[in-house]
Amino acid sequence: MHRLNRILVLTGAGVSAESGIPTFRGKDGYWRNLDPAKLATPEAFAKDPGLVWEWYRERRQRIRNAQPNAAHNAIAKLAQHAQEFLLVTQNVDDLHARAGSPKQKMVQIHGDIFVTRCSRCDFQFRDTGRGGSPEPPAPSAIYPHSGRLRACPERKSNGSIATTSAQPDQEQKDIPKCSKCSALMRPGVVWFGEQLPWDELRRVENYLEAGPCDFVIVAGTTATFGYIIDWALRAIASDGTLVEVNPEETPLSRFATQRLREPAAIALPRIVDELVIYRSSKL
Ligand code: APR
């Protein structure tokens, strides 16, 4: 059975699928018949920033309405029991964090959908928009046509949010502008063709360089990007276990020592319980 000293977990959209978040390349990935791979690009944003914002706002709302599933919970549990642990997720949703995966043991390598950042300068803010208002106005973003800085949504006498600021789709078609340089604000995610965030990349490299892992789990990803396979193979110790959790075959499958062709919310709780029970029996 397995030591639980150093663990690396790599996840993709499949882990959030059972929370109702569409995957990218699954049949449910298209939005208004638009291919996500065509929308999640700097070119698409340059061509029609309103349309791209609409897509991200719908995704943000869907994520707010979603709950972490048993796969997210199992990974958070593993983070608690492993001596050394790092979760590297390609997911821009916040379900791993909401399940309790600690920030210092998690890398969102493709960014965070609830971050809004300037497309030119370093101004950015993060707001999940929970607590009533569907999509909070940027703390200091100016809405061009209203020209008014909006601190918080107006309220009707019965306390409910006044339509003008509450109707997300009406206002939200506007594209927030940076209060520092007036450039367009964009979602804080990594789009196709863009560099991975340097600081996050450094954290992954530091973890890989700190020593081999006994156990590597790769769950819910097509492993489309070579760095996912590269990190998994560089991480695994010569006698370590590389587990792939995915109902389908992927380019990583031939390297895995175990292939679990099951939904993540089924396979991960079982794997983690086995590992945790085994570890506690060794203590
Ligand atoms: N449990 C486990 N795996 C699942 C489940 C499930 N319930 N449902 C689907 N999958 C698998 C699919 O078989 C597929 O291999 O999850 C994978 C989802 O693949 P993609 O949609 O390609 O998502 P991902 O691998 O995360 O994409 C990587 O590409 O689109 C960009 O930036 C985006 O982060 C994303 C990256």
Side-chain angles (χ1 to χ4, degrees), residues 2-15:
H2 315 288
R3 299 181 305 285
L4 254 192
N5 299 334
R6 279 180 66 75
I7 297 227
L8 174 68
V9 178
L10 299 162
T11 66
V15 166

PDB file of all heavy atoms in Angstrom, residues 2-15:
ATOM      1  N   HIS A   2       0.434   2.425   0.195  1.00  0.00           N
ATOM      2  CA  HIS A   2       1.176   3.624  -0.192  1.00  0.00           C
ATOM      3  C   HIS A   2       1.519   4.491   1.008  1.00  0.00           C
ATOM      4  O   HIS A   2       0.768   4.641   1.946  1.00  0.00           O
ATOM      5  CB  HIS A   2       0.312   4.453  -1.133  1.00  0.00           C
ATOM      6  CG  HIS A   2      -0.345   3.599  -2.180  1.00  0.00           C
ATOM      7  ND1 HIS A   2       0.364   3.046  -3.212  1.00  0.00           N
ATOM      8  CD2 HIS A   2      -1.608   3.156  -2.323  1.00  0.00           C
ATOM      9  CE1 HIS A   2      -0.454   2.332  -3.967  1.00  0.00           C
ATOM     10  NE2 HIS A   2      -1.632   2.368  -3.453  1.00  0.00           N
ATOM     11  N   ARG A   3       2.721   5.066   0.926  1.00  0.00           N
ATOM     12  CA  ARG A   3       3.051   6.095   1.916  1.00  0.00           C
ATOM     13  C   ARG A   3       2.280   7.354   1.541  1.00  0.00           C
ATOM     14  O   ARG A   3       1.828   7.511   0.428  1.00  0.00           O
ATOM     15  CB  ARG A   3       4.553   6.371   1.886  1.00  0.00           C
ATOM     16  CG  ARG A   3       5.415   5.135   2.222  1.00  0.00           C
ATOM     17  CD  ARG A   3       6.904   5.492   2.204  1.00  0.00           C
ATOM     18  NE  ARG A   3       7.340   6.095   0.968  1.00  0.00           N
ATOM     19  CZ  ARG A   3       7.525   5.401  -0.178  1.00  0.00           C
ATOM     20  NH1 ARG A   3       7.282   4.102  -0.188  1.00  0.00           N
ATOM     21  NH2 ARG A   3       7.899   6.012  -1.282  1.00  0.00           N
ATOM     22  N   LEU A   4       2.103   8.225   2.480  1.00  0.00           N
ATOM     23  CA  LEU A   4       1.322   9.443   2.206  1.00  0.00           C
ATOM     24  C   LEU A   4       2.172  10.666   2.473  1.00  0.00           C
ATOM     25  O   LEU A   4       1.712  11.676   2.951  1.00  0.00           O
ATOM     26  CB  LEU A   4       0.116   9.487   3.159  1.00  0.00           C
ATOM     27  CG  LEU A   4      -1.254   9.181   2.604  1.00  0.00           C
ATOM     28  CD1 LEU A   4      -2.298   9.560   3.620  1.00  0.00           C
ATOM     29  CD2 LEU A   4      -1.499   9.910   1.310  1.00  0.00           C
ATOM     30  N   ASN A   5       3.451  10.542   2.145  1.00  0.00           N
ATOM     31  CA  ASN A   5       4.338  11.659   2.495  1.00  0.00           C
ATOM     32  C   ASN A   5       4.157  12.833   1.556  1.00  0.00           C
ATOM     33  O   ASN A   5       3.769  13.909   1.964  1.00  0.00           O
ATOM     34  CB  ASN A   5       5.783  11.164   2.502  1.00  0.00           C
ATOM     35  CG  ASN A   5       5.913  10.072   3.547  1.00  0.00           C
ATOM     36  OD1 ASN A   5       5.134  10.038   4.516  1.00  0.00           O
ATOM     37  ND2 ASN A   5       6.797   9.118   3.323  1.00  0.00           N
ATOM     38  N   ARG A   6       4.413  12.618   0.283  1.00  0.00           N
ATOM     39  CA  ARG A   6       4.319  13.739  -0.663  1.00  0.00           C
ATOM     40  C   ARG A   6       3.294  13.392  -1.743  1.00  0.00           C
ATOM     41  O   ARG A   6       3.415  12.379  -2.419  1.00  0.00           O
ATOM     42  CB  ARG A   6       5.670  14.015  -1.326  1.00  0.00           C
ATOM     43  CG  ARG A   6       6.629  14.827  -0.481  1.00  0.00           C
ATOM     44  CD  ARG A   6       7.947  15.039  -1.222  1.00  0.00           C
ATOM     45  NE  ARG A   6       7.810  15.858  -2.400  1.00  0.00           N
ATOM     46  CZ  ARG A   6       7.643  17.201  -2.349  1.00  0.00           C
ATOM     47  NH1 ARG A   6       7.596  17.814  -1.205  1.00  0.00           N
ATOM     48  NH2 ARG A   6       7.507  17.883  -3.474  1.00  0.00           N
ATOM     49  N   ILE A   7       2.352  14.306  -1.857  1.00  0.00           N
ATOM     50  CA  ILE A   7       1.258  14.043  -2.807  1.00  0.00           C
ATOM     51  C   ILE A   7       1.090  15.221  -3.752  1.00  0.00           C
ATOM     52  O   ILE A   7       1.231  16.375  -3.344  1.00  0.00           O
ATOM     53  CB  ILE A   7      -0.060  13.840  -2.032  1.00  0.00           C
ATOM     54  CG1 ILE A   7       0.087  12.599  -1.150  1.00  0.00           C
ATOM     55  CG2 ILE A   7      -1.240  13.769  -2.955  1.00  0.00           C
ATOM     56  CD1 ILE A   7      -1.007  11.624  -1.181  1.00  0.00           C
ATOM     57  N   LEU A   8       0.835  14.906  -5.009  1.00  0.00           N
ATOM     58  CA  LEU A   8       0.472  15.943  -5.982  1.00  0.00           C
ATOM     59  C   LEU A   8      -0.868  15.540  -6.601  1.00  0.00           C
ATOM     60  O   LEU A   8      -1.052  14.379  -6.991  1.00  0.00           O
ATOM     61  CB  LEU A   8       1.519  16.061  -7.096  1.00  0.00           C
ATOM     62  CG  LEU A   8       1.179  17.027  -8.248  1.00  0.00           C
ATOM     63  CD1 LEU A   8       1.190  18.480  -7.774  1.00  0.00           C
ATOM     64  CD2 LEU A   8       2.138  16.840  -9.427  1.00  0.00           C
ATOM     65  N   VAL A   9      -1.790  16.485  -6.651  1.00  0.00           N
ATOM     66  CA  VAL A   9      -3.080  16.247  -7.302  1.00  0.00           C
ATOM     67  C   VAL A   9      -3.249  17.273  -8.418  1.00  0.00           C
ATOM     68  O   VAL A   9      -3.054  18.467  -8.194  1.00  0.00           O
ATOM     69  CB  VAL A   9      -4.251  16.357  -6.301  1.00  0.00           C
ATOM     70  CG1 VAL A   9      -5.594  16.163  -7.023  1.00  0.00           C
ATOM     71  CG2 VAL A   9      -4.110  15.320  -5.180  1.00  0.00           C
ATOM     72  N   LEU A  10      -3.569  16.778  -9.609  1.00  0.00           N
ATOM     73  CA  LEU A  10      -3.810  17.649 -10.771  1.00  0.00           C
ATOM     74  C   LEU A  10      -5.268  17.458 -11.196  1.00  0.00           C
ATOM     75  O   LEU A  10      -5.705  16.319 -11.394  1.00  0.00           O
ATOM     76  CB  LEU A  10      -2.876  17.266 -11.922  1.00  0.00           C
ATOM     77  CG  LEU A  10      -1.368  17.390 -11.656  1.00  0.00           C
ATOM     78  CD1 LEU A  10      -0.561  16.587 -12.679  1.00  0.00           C
ATOM     79  CD2 LEU A  10      -0.950  18.852 -11.704  1.00  0.00           C
ATOM     80  N   THR A  11      -6.019  18.560 -11.282  1.00  0.00           N
ATOM     81  CA  THR A  11      -7.428  18.404 -11.669  1.00  0.00           C
ATOM     82  C   THR A  11      -7.796  19.283 -12.854  1.00  0.00           C
ATOM     83  O   THR A  11      -7.130  20.281 -13.150  1.00  0.00           O
ATOM     84  CB  THR A  11      -8.388  18.744 -10.495  1.00  0.00           C
ATOM     85  OG1 THR A  11      -8.270  20.132 -10.180  1.00  0.00           O
ATOM     86  CG2 THR A  11      -8.108  17.900  -9.271  1.00  0.00           C
ATOM     87  N   GLY A  12      -8.893  18.871 -13.496  1.00  0.00           N
ATOM     88  CA  GLY A  12      -9.458  19.615 -14.612  1.00  0.00           C
ATOM     89  C   GLY A  12     -10.971  19.692 -14.497  1.00  0.00           C
ATOM     90  O   GLY A  12     -11.553  19.299 -13.485  1.00  0.00           O
ATOM     91  N   ALA A  13     -11.587  20.151 -15.565  1.00  0.00           N
ATOM     92  CA  ALA A  13     -13.020  20.460 -15.558  1.00  0.00           C
ATOM     93  C   ALA A  13     -13.888  19.271 -15.164  1.00  0.00           C
ATOM     94  O   ALA A  13     -14.964  19.445 -14.590  1.00  0.00           O
ATOM     95  CB  ALA A  13     -13.419  20.958 -16.948  1.00  0.00           C
ATOM     96  N   GLY A  14     -13.411  18.044 -15.411  1.00  0.00           N
ATOM     97  CA  GLY A  14     -14.215  16.865 -15.094  1.00  0.00           C
ATOM     98  C   GLY A  14     -14.538  16.760 -13.612  1.00  0.00           C
ATOM     99  O   GLY A  14     -15.586  16.223 -13.228  1.00  0.00           O
ATOM    100  N   VAL A  15     -13.681  17.331 -12.762  1.00  0.00           N
ATOM    101  CA  VAL A  15     -13.909  17.268 -11.310  1.00  0.00           C
ATOM    102  C   VAL A  15     -15.088  18.147 -10.913  1.00  0.00           C
ATOM    103  O   VAL A  15     -15.789  17.869  -9.947  1.00  0.00           O
ATOM    104  CB  VAL A  15     -12.621  17.660 -10.546  1.00  0.00           C
ATOM    105  CG1 VAL A  15     -12.895  17.939  -9.089  1.00  0.00           C
ATOM    106  CG2 VAL A  15     -11.586  16.554 -10.665  1.00  0.00           C
TER     107      VAL A  15
END
